[in-house]
Amino acid sequence: MSLYKNSQFLVLLALSTYALASSVGGNLTASDSADKLKQSLSLSPAAPVVVGVDSPVFKPGVDSLFSLNLLSSFPEDLEISDYCSDLLHIFGQRYVAYVNCLVTAARPVKVCQNCFSSYGSLTNIYTNISSDQMGPGNVSCRDSLLRSDHLMLVYLLYSNMEDIWTKSACDNCIKGFQSLTNDTLYFISTLNQTLTCFEKYQQGNHTELCKDCKNAYRDLNELYSRMETNLTMCIDIEDSMNMTRRLWSKNFNCSFPREETVPVIAVSSFMLFLPIIFYLSSFLHSEQKKRKLIHPKRAKSYTTLMNIQDKLS
């Protein structure tokens, strides 16, 4: 019975659809069909509608607990204190100042003598951040700024700057982030005297430069050798000495016999004549040995001859 009623309903639905199409004139366009399809879909509760996040229909609540912005504020118990925030801001300023100084002092290298003050300021603020001492309100910034995440960005940034300072051996030229050491100042003074002599003759005859600046250049080399032995030089001194030697040898074509070459020449000469000495001593020793072997034979034959003469007599 139910099947019969359903069949009647389908027949009536087909007839009504045909009548509607006939009234319009059977000339439905594609756009009209699409519009009717949209209307039918909008009226159908079973048709799902997917709306993108960027759609104007999607509007997250302003007062929602979680926002799409990664820069949103977190609860106060997770935020750093105002004191730690101020330290972080000062660290950023001093970090930028030190990096700018390093870039300007890259060539010629003067990272120690020009940037020791800015590095000292950076070290000072980092010491305050990494210290166990409590700030205002009994707040320590070491955990919140250095250990609160896996990246540890503040520690990483400072470690890179500290590595540059260490590789440059700036501690050998700087005295407590306050001034240059006396050895460094004396080397700079000697270097300036040598460069002044170079400038005096560089436009003229280089032969006169090699002759008149020889003593100044020799004193500078000896001073550099002593500082190299005593480990009292930094990258600034090393780079300036390399540039001075390049000027002396390549630009001015000057030569200067260094004292350390004398022992090398002496040892080389000794090694050269060593085979000759060895073969000569071997030859003399063999001749002496032959004489020792022949002498007893002669003595024995002479004794035998004397005995024979005694018997005959």
Side-chain angles (χ1 to χ4, degrees), residues 49-60:
V49 180
V50 179
V51 182
V53 176
D54 296 335
S55 174
V57 179
F58 182 80
K59 296 181 180 179

Side-chain angles (χ1 to χ4, degrees), residues 98 101-102 109-121 123 164-166 168-185 188 227 231-237:
Y98 181 55
C101 183
L102 290 178
V109 181
K110 295 181 180 180
V111 296
C112 298
Q113 55 183 314
N114 289 358
C115 304
F116 69 88
S117 178
S118 57
Y119 180 75
S121 300
T123 302
I164 294 175
W165 181 268
T166 303
S168 302
C170 292
D171 287 333
N172 296 334
C173 297
I174 306 301
K175 183 168 53 179
F177 301 126
Q178 300 295 328
S179 62
L180 300 175
T181 61
N182 294 331
D183 292 338
T184 304
L185 293 174
I188 294 175
M227 297 182 69
L231 300 178
T232 57
M233 69 175 188
C234 56
I235 188 62
D236 296 12
I237 296 177

Side-chain angles (χ1 to χ4, degrees), residues 10 25 37 58 60 117 161 203 268 270-271:
L10 292 175
L37 180 61
F58 182 80
S117 178
M161 298 299 102
Q203 300 299 334
S268 301
F270 176 76
M271 296 298 294

